[in-house]
Amino acid sequence: MSPPPLLLPLPLLPLLPLLLVDPTIATLIRIPLHRVHPDPRTLNLPRGWRKPAEHPSLGASSPGNKSTFVPLSNYMNVQYFGEIGLGMPPQNFSVIFDTGSSNFWVPSKRCHFLSLPCWFHHRFNPNASSSFQPNGTKFAIQYGTGKLSGILSEDKLTIGGIKGTSVVFGEALWEPSLVFTFAHFDGILGLGFPILAVDGVRPPLDILVEKGLVDKPVFSFYLNRDPEAADGGELVLGGSDPAHYFPPLTFMPVTIPAYWQIHMERVKVGTGLNLCARGCAAILDTGTSLITGPTEEIQALNSAIGGVALMTGQYLIDCSKIPTLPPVSLLLAGVWFNLTAQDYVVQIARFGVRLCVSGFQALDVDPPVGPLWILGDVFLGSHVAVFDRGDKKGGARVGLARARPRGAGR
């Protein structure tokens, strides 16, 4: 998989059983998930980036009216994951649904005994699955903070109530980086374009669409950032749920169909500071916690909101000033998408002390991929994003709308 998702150290929480709901228009799966309090260690720099080799082919839409919901856990309030099953009977794993990558992998029962992350996570056991098919092709994924390697295998995927779909996935045999050891998630399921997939492996979404198990190559994220809420949101495969957002959705074309990359026209801080003044590239990435941008512009932005730079590259914010901080607005497809300080300040409670950290962090992405901004969960937690791979009638696009708080009326 390349590029890698943001990997964060966290204790493992027990996985919860699937709860099935069967309405008339879709199969809904809602999983009650625990929330872990934010920690400064989770706010690390995101993935490294590379230039895709070629344009991917976009999946075609299939008939029907099927939508599937996969609820998401709120990972430290800026990272989200859900549950899938592999094999027959299904072996459960928690995975990050990552729009910035396209491979699917989980730890293996056959991992090296010195690979510590394997011993702290659920591991796939091929001998316990009656549907397992060996592949044996070696794969390796290089991360900004580590790497993993293993072999490709094939087995049945269970996701959102859909069962029995054969997919090729990675069995991680060697995870030498300690960053994986205490990560809350077991693995990663990529939702980027096929061109990003290591070894040309077909992403699971493409297979689900091809088999008609998902109506069309569309999915949406609702990332619930309400600290009082019990759940972390939902990933919806096959469409979007209007109950999650305030209409209308504003659609914009994907400019390079590899990452979910769009054109951003401007960034404004309050009424004074203008950034990305001539337009810039932006990527919507559920595998990145914060919002990142070029160093010079992020420094100016954090200065405008009173951020104090730390050696780690993070910026501290005076918690008492949150009500008076200016909005940060992003102009996309001619529409302003506004972030209040409540949206862009990450509040961390530790031992009775509240710490506030800016949700904006510097990351310089070299050409030809960069420079660009990465709109991670700090942005996506405030807005519902609909990712549409497109079909023969039209190209890939992304739709955005302000997220509706839980319990808000339509």
Side-chain angles (χ1 to χ4, degrees), residues 28-169:
L28 302 179
I29 298 176
R30 302 186 184 274
I31 308 170
L33 296 166
H34 294 286
R35 185 179 304 278
V36 183
H37 294 293
D39 185 288
R41 295 173 302 167
T42 70
L43 305 179
N44 298 323
L45 284 175
R47 70 187 82 249
W49 295 87
R50 70 174 178 88
K51 178 179 172 61
E54 58 182 330
H55 291 287
S57 57
L58 302 182
S61 178
S62 59
N65 185 31
K66 305 182 183 70
S67 295
T68 299
F69 294 74
V70 178
L72 303 173
S73 169
N74 187 335
Y75 181 58
M76 289 288 202
N77 205 29
V78 285
Q79 190 73 345
Y80 300 81
F81 53 90
E83 187 176 287
I84 57 90
L86 263 180
M88 297 299 285
Q91 302 171 42
N92 289 341
F93 297 91
S94 60
V95 298
I96 290 178
F97 294 99
D98 178 26
T99 59
S101 61
S102 300
N103 283 89
F104 171 33
W105 66 266
V106 296
S108 173
K109 191 78 171 179
R110 301 179 282 182
C111 65
H112 194 283
F113 73 98
L114 291 179
S115 184
L116 289 180
C118 287
W119 305 108
F120 289 87
H121 293 88
H122 295 82
R123 294 175 291 163
F124 176 75
N125 183 1
N127 295 327
S129 173
S130 61
S131 53
F132 174 76
Q133 295 291 329
N135 179 300
T137 302
K138 294 181 179 180
F139 81 96
I141 301 170
Q142 180 67 49
Y143 291 88
T145 52
K147 61 182 179 180
L148 64 86
S149 60
I151 57 174
L152 298 179
S153 297
E154 184 173 346
D155 213 330
K156 305 292 187 181
L157 171 67
T158 298
I159 181 172
I162 300 173
K163 300 180 180 180
T165 305
S166 291
V167 298
V168 175
F169 67 99

Side-chain angles (χ1 to χ4, degrees), residues 342-365:
Q342 290 289 345
D343 296 326
Y344 65 71
V345 175
V346 180
Q347 301 186 47
I348 302 166
R350 299 280 289 180
F351 309 111
V353 177
R354 188 166 62 128
L355 182 68
C356 294
V357 179
S358 168
F360 300 97
Q361 196 163 356
L363 178 65
D364 292 311
V365 180

